[in-house]
Amino acid sequence: MERPAWAPPGIDISVPSVSRIYDYYLGGSHNFEVDRETARRAMEFMPGLPKIMQANRAFMRRAVRHAVDQGITQFLDIGSGIPTFGNVHEIAQAASPGARVVYVDHDPVAVAHSQAVLAGDEHSGIVAADLRKPQDILDAPEVTRLLDLDRPVALLLVAVLHFLEEDDEPYAAVAALRDALAPGSLLILTHASYEGIPLTEEVAGGTVGVYRDIRNPLVMRSGEQIRGFFDGFELLEPGLVSMPDWRPEAPASPQDAEAEEDPYAFSGFGGVGRKA
């Protein structure tokens, strides 16, 4: 297997990564053959996975613009993945120059490419850390340098919590982050679910099995379970809904329009909550 020149040293390119698989779904180029093979296996059961990811990104962009409209100019994006067009810092800084963004991921490829993309941007940074250890994130030098946690922050947990099993204590991790944030902070969240998928649960479960096979279990929670992550936050209108139904606006691109009209785009949930 030929090693790409851009692959960071020490990366095992024979092991698939969920962030690189996600990059493949979005049409990115920073993924290995093992990631593409895994993605294609998952799409055998759920061919609309790229549409779900595109709708997820479109939701994220709308939510970030909403945060800026509410006067929030600090963003903590955990599970940020590999940088693609329309990332948080691009959206936030276009709306509010000087907005500060800290990305967090535990995939070395995602971290390395984030460092390259953010080179020279004094208002943005990347932290190598894991959502399972929220205090490591809060204590990270880039977080303490760039973010003032005494002022409102938009916390993004976009397409990441469904990779945490119950033994990982995901609700406790979110609560620890919530408790560190100032009143008025926002939680921007999306999560996979069997609800809304235009397939039987049995067929969709084939995709879940693919992720289990690569030791990155995909936990499909119900809407009620996902709502539990907003404990301590007031859900903003229209509540916890399918991603295209959260404050829809004119699509930013033909790709967004196509994605948000596809039945698969209505799989899972997205929502934004405000800390009182």
Side-chain angles (χ1 to χ4, degrees):
M1 185 182 304
E2 185 176 351
R3 185 179 190 84
W6 52 262
I11 296 297
D12 185 348
I13 65 173
S14 69
V15 177
S17 152
V18 293
S19 65
R20 298 193 304 268
I21 293 169
Y22 188 90
D23 178 68
Y24 174 77
Y25 290 144
L26 289 173
S29 59
H30 293 108
N31 46 76
F32 306 141
E33 179 55 34
V34 68
D35 304 310
R36 297 188 285 273
E37 180 183 345
T38 302
R40 289 190 289 265
R41 283 175 52 214
M43 290 169 63
E44 289 176 7
F45 300 98
M46 200 182 296
L49 280 167
K51 299 300 182 185
I52 298 174
M53 306 313 165
Q54 290 165 19
N56 191 78
R57 297 287 296 183
F59 163 85
M60 180 272 288
R61 291 192 287 267
R62 294 196 303 276
V64 168
R65 286 193 290 268
H66 172 75
V68 175
D69 288 344
Q70 298 302 303
I72 294 179
T73 58
Q74 303 187 105
F75 296 84
L76 179 59
D77 184 0
I78 301 177
S80 51
I82 294 170
T84 57
F85 176 75
N87 251 24
V88 173
H89 72 286
E90 294 172 328
I91 303 302
Q93 291 172 0
S96 178
R100 294 173 177 264
V101 178
V102 177
Y103 295 109
V104 180
D105 207 285
H106 62 52
D107 184 328
V109 173
V111 172
H113 283 284
S114 296
Q115 289 171 335
V117 168
L118 299 175
D121 183 346
E122 61 182 18
H123 294 128
S124 302
I126 175 71
V127 172
D130 194 313
L131 175 56
R132 296 170 183 84
K133 298 180 178 180
Q135 198 59 48
D136 288 355
I137 296 172
L138 295 168
D139 292 340
E142 286 293 271
V143 171
T144 57
R145 179 178 73 86
L146 287 168
L147 304 182
D148 178 0
L149 298 186
D150 291 328
R151 296 191 299 111
V153 172
L155 169 64
L156 287 92
L157 297 174
V158 174
V160 63
L161 283 165
H162 48 234
F163 291 114
L164 269 63
E165 299 181 277
E166 296 311 310
D167 288 348
D168 295 319
E169 301 186 330
Y171 294 96
V174 175
L177 293 165
R178 176 201 65 210
D179 292 347
L181 301 179
S185 293
L186 298 181
L187 171 60
I188 298 171
L189 181 153
T190 67
H191 198 295
S193 176
Y194 284 121
E195 297 177 40
I197 295 178
L199 297 169
T200 66
E201 185 171 325
E202 181 181 8
V203 174
T207 290
V208 174
V210 170
Y211 280 89
R212 185 170 53 247
D213 289 346
I214 65 169
R215 299 184 180 179
N216 280 285
L218 180 60
V219 182
M220 305 289 269
R221 295 186 172 93
S222 67
E224 182 178 356
Q225 290 172 315
I226 297 166
R227 195 171 285 107
F229 288 115
F230 287 94
D231 184 34
F233 293 90
E234 174 193 0
L235 266 169
L236 305 184
E237 290 295 332
L240 187 67
V241 294
S242 65
M243 292 174 289
D245 289 329
W246 195 88
R247 304 195 179 195
E249 57 189 32
S253 69
Q255 183 186 49
D256 283 352
E258 179 185 349
E260 297 208 355
E261 291 172 359
D262 190 285
Y264 278 96
F266 295 85
S267 307
F269 292 94
V272 178
R274 179 186 293 113
K275 181 178 176 179

